[in-house]
Amino acid sequence: MNSSSTTINEEPDALSVVNQLRDLAADPLNRRAIVQDQGCLPALLALQYLAEYRANRGKMKGELGMMLSLQKTTPPGETKLLRVC
């Protein structure tokens, strides 16, 4: 068993959760369910908190596709997260 897999009694590490969510969200058929899930959407709001810490902004800006995706999906007037980054 590799280090990124978990047993039934273990909690997955944060990176595993993020990677799994990214992989699931890559499939357009999963996107509605992800947003409707009571646990997923609030977790995604953590991006704003992470971006508020100035030292994180450069890394977040450099993440492949992050800024472009946010710009495409954020309506005008609702770009607080984008301005923080």
Side-chain angles (χ1 to χ4, degrees):
M1 194 178 283
N2 66 34
S3 62
S4 66
S5 63
T6 58
T7 65
I8 294 174
N9 295 329
E10 289 181 47
E11 289 290 322
D13 63 48
L15 182 59
S16 295
V17 172
V18 169
N19 287 335
Q20 185 176 15
L21 181 57
R22 181 202 59 219
D23 293 346
L24 288 169
D27 182 345
L29 298 175
N30 292 332
R31 294 174 187 166
R32 181 176 179 186
I34 290 169
V35 170
Q36 290 179 342
D37 185 282
Q38 291 180 335
C40 289
L41 195 55
L44 295 175
L45 296 175
L47 289 174
Q48 179 175 349
Y49 297 130
L50 296 174
E52 288 175 357
Y53 183 64
R54 187 172 300 276
N56 290 343
R57 295 177 190 169
K59 175 70 176 166
M60 292 177 78
K61 282 182 182 179
E63 186 62 33
L64 184 62
M66 180 181 287
M67 290 303 294
L68 182 59
S69 294
L70 289 172
Q71 288 168 345
K72 285 182 177 180
T73 60
T74 305
E78 296 183 20
T79 57
K80 181 179 179 184
L81 175 61
L82 299 179
R83 286 187 306 233
V84 171
C85 290

